[in-house]
Amino acid sequence: MEIEHAAVLGAGTMGSGIAAHLANAGLPVVLLDIVPGAAKAAVERMRKADPPPLMSPEAAKRITAGDLPTDLPRVGDADWLVEAVIERLDAKQALYAKLETVRKPGSVVSSNTSTIPLAHLIDGRSAAFAADFLITHFFNPPRFMRLLEVVAGPSTRADALAAVSDFADRRLGKGVVRCKDTPGFIANRIGTFWIQSAINAALDLGLTVEEADAIAGRPMGIPKTGVFGLLDLVGLDVMPHVTASMLATLPADDPYCVQSRDWPLLTRLIADGYTGRKGKGGFYRLAKRDDGSKVKEALNLTTGSYSPAERPRMEAVEAGKAGLRALAEHPDKGGRFARRVLVSTLGYAAALVPEICDDIAGVDQAMRLGYNWRDGPFEMIDRVGADWLAEQICADGGTVPPVLERAAGRRFYEVADGALMALAPDGARAPVVRPAGVLLLSDVKRRGPPVKRNGSASLWDIGDGVLCFEFTSKMNALDLEILTLFRETIELIGAPDNAWRALVVYNEGDNFSVGANLGLALFAANVAAWDQIETLVAEGQTVFQALRRAPFPVVGAPSGMALGGGCEILLHCDAIQAHAESYIGLVEAGVGVVPAWGGCRSLLARHAATAGTPGGIPFGPMPPVAKAFETISLAKVGKSAAEARALGFLRAGDGITMNRDRLLADAKARALEMVAGYRPPEPVTLTLPGPSGRTALGLFVESFRLQGKTMPHDLVVADALAEVLTGGATDPTETVDEDALLALERQAFMRLIRTGATLDRVEHMLNTGKPLRN
């Protein structure tokens, strides 16, 4: 079956977020709520929300909002109806009774519940309804959290399950994990147990909020929010509801129930409106000083009072750099806290297989995607050692889970003949199977060494004559070694007797590339090594131009941030296949310089190519310049691949992949499509306005100055950028070639990098991670 129309019933935080993401996938969506006007209000809120649930303004237009009592017949065209109403069985069952009268035959109905068993949900419904029903548990926020837990009932049609799973994978970008119909499914069963365990250990061992989060965060491979920061993020009032549901559905001897405690302080905080970030604060809050400034405060877990948050210094954190086991074995209270949390949580996770899921890979995927853990629980067990964990469980008087006993002397994951193998519950080994159409660079790496490598980049053979260029520097920042390997790669693929036909630029880091290595640039500037800086700029221009003119197709495949030089690489690729969650922009103005690796030239040429076309900017020398100037001078960044397209960083023919795991395969396929008859693009010449255009742009910047929206150095940067984009001393009767524009970029960059104001901005960016603002 094909899913072409959708409906969401319930316009609360989850329902509206699910509707938004279905619209992001291109579907027309009907969003209904029982409260009159609530759905329309939800759509309006999402238009202005930050982070935005919607990837583009066009996505909002795909949502039709209405009221459940009067507009329910509108769902009659939906192929998939998602129920996200209040977590009460009676309310859900009453809605299902109404849906039976209006939905079309064969449409799939799913619930977003994570607490009510499927059998209870469909009790009293027809056999046809039961065959079309399943649970699809999204995580909040639906756009950004990649996990989708799917539960099918004994009567659920196989094709209905397959259709929703495939759509969620390919169109919504979800990692779909098949779960069993057990309380909390996978992620919340383990995740909320981990939260309870960490809270209990912090209270028993006398850790502060800050100390607990410092341990139960990055040292454990968990987001820096830790446990108390996570509760503030999701809402303190959510935890009691989840706990109550678990206690009502799990047997009394389940470790979840055994370790559950009544915590009067939490009850008091919620009653007083301290529900986390959405309320007055929570375990942390921002308080105003007498001078109007704000200070971050942390809650004292004993007294319930607040005081300025402190950065804890515990030896266990430093010891944890040697590994997870070193963290847990450290004798200070941080180490004792880590040991207690890890042993209880990992032991509990091991005891739940195969009760909650048939394979450990599914459990690990659920925790990585649902809670943003770097490693799933079984991957963490491999890090500490299955035998060590079993010893600790026995030392605490516990029972070693059967699956952990079968791992004695072994690892849960091993590589055999280049393939990743996982330990099954029965003790046998089975390959970790990827969905059709998924190609992971991590799997490629298991098969053998790279074709080439240096300290900042690697080159991998991904099959069918296609190579993959991977950045490996810190945050994938660009440096001379990356440029050197690009040169070698161009020569290698371009050689007449080679076996390779195309190149994909891709990596599996959190970010594609944050741009040039600012630390090296600042160091060189501080010792007045201007020649070295200019050599790096010139080398970048030369290499990126060589990439653009290479005799083979080059496809850029970004995910995460592609900023500054990272964006410039993409602008020199023949095509871009971007992950939907790509944040692309030329942000150099934020640190007081202009793009100098061809970014100005490339964006200007793209706008000029669309001038005068339907939906494009007006024809003439000035409109492309004005458009590029606005984007670069304001350091605009597309907050999605769709927004990046609107800004001109992606062209009409460039592709967008919703699922991160499918990005490399899609980029490879795009590269192979271009191989036959490939010819590199012709050099670009532009007609630019020259000094008169520079003056016009100066008036635009002056209006910002009069509004108090600029700093003095912004005017200097804007004028340098205007000179580049308008072609320097040219006029509209002449044409400007690529080399001339690159020379203008390089000259402007070198003038600006020598100024103290620019160096101050670079240092501020390095220290804070944020541009200096007015």
Side-chain angles (χ1 to χ4, degrees), residues 515-598:
N517 188 323
L518 292 178
L520 291 177
L522 182 63
F523 175 79
N526 284 335
V527 297
W530 308 116
D531 289 347
Q532 292 183 25
I533 295 175
E534 187 161 11
T535 296
L536 181 62
V537 173
E539 177 67 3
Q541 290 185 342
T542 301
V543 169
F544 287 4
Q545 281 289 82
L547 194 68
R548 182 169 169 268
R549 295 172 179 171
F552 53 84
V554 180
V555 176
S559 179
M561 292 188 290
L563 305 178
C567 175
E568 288 178 294
I569 288 175
L570 298 175
L571 292 174
H572 287 80
C573 292
D574 296 292
I576 298 173
Q577 186 70 36
H579 181 216
E581 297 299 345
S582 294
Y583 316 118
I584 304 174
L586 295 169
V587 297
E588 287 86 349
V591 291
V593 293
V594 300
W597 279 342

Side-chain angles (χ1 to χ4, degrees), residues 215-223 324 372-375 380 383:
I215 296 291
R218 285 176 172 166
M220 288 188 183
I222 291 168
L324 200 57
N372 281 332
W373 290 7
R374 182 182 61 207
D375 299 308
M380 294 171 76
R383 290 173 62 194

Side-chain angles (χ1 to χ4, degrees), residues 198 201-202 205-208 210-217 219-220 312-320 324-342:
L205 296 171
L207 272 73
T208 66
E210 304 98 303
E211 288 172 338
D213 284 348
I215 296 291
M220 288 188 183
R313 286 177 168 77
M314 289 180 289
E315 292 180 1
V317 173
E318 188 64 28
L324 200 57
R325 184 164 161 182
L327 172 70
E329 290 182 333
H330 196 275
D332 74 3
K333 65 178 179 180
R336 297 197 303 275
F337 171 80
R339 178 198 173 279
R340 181 162 158 182
V341 173
L342 285 170

